[in-house]
Amino acid sequence: MTLIALDESAEATVVDALSARAWDVVVIGGGIRKPEPLLELFEHVVNLVRRHAPTAAIAFNTSGGDSVEAARRWV
């Protein structure tokens, strides 16, 4: 799990996490996906996943509690 600060460090944090290892699935949480003011950040994160983990499936959870279930849908 990687927590993203809502500041200029967000991109580096995501890229570092994606570059740390190979990923089968990346789950993007509702904390950045749901709030309308974070739409631009959400789009940016999706595109970072596509660029830095191109073979990973992208899944979405509704809360931290169902992240495993979200990932399992794609493996």
Side-chain angles (χ1 to χ4, degrees), residues 25 27 59-61 63-75:
V25 180
V27 178
F60 304 103
N61 67 8
S63 71
D66 67 353
S67 294
V68 172
E69 291 80 11
R72 282 186 181 151
R73 290 193 295 265
W74 294 100
V75 291

Side-chain angles (χ1 to χ4, degrees), residues 2 5 13 38 57:
T2 301
T13 301
L38 297 181

Side-chain angles (χ1 to χ4, degrees), residues 26-69:
V26 175
V27 178
I28 301 175
I32 64 166
R33 184 174 47 83
K34 292 180 181 181
E36 190 172 331
L38 297 181
L39 176 61
E40 189 174 324
L41 174 61
F42 170 63
E43 289 177 334
H44 194 66
V45 169
V46 168
N47 283 294
L48 288 171
V49 172
R50 289 183 57 237
R51 189 173 309 126
H52 295 280
T55 61
I58 299 173
F60 304 103
N61 67 8
T62 56
S63 71
D66 67 353
S67 294
V68 172
E69 291 80 11

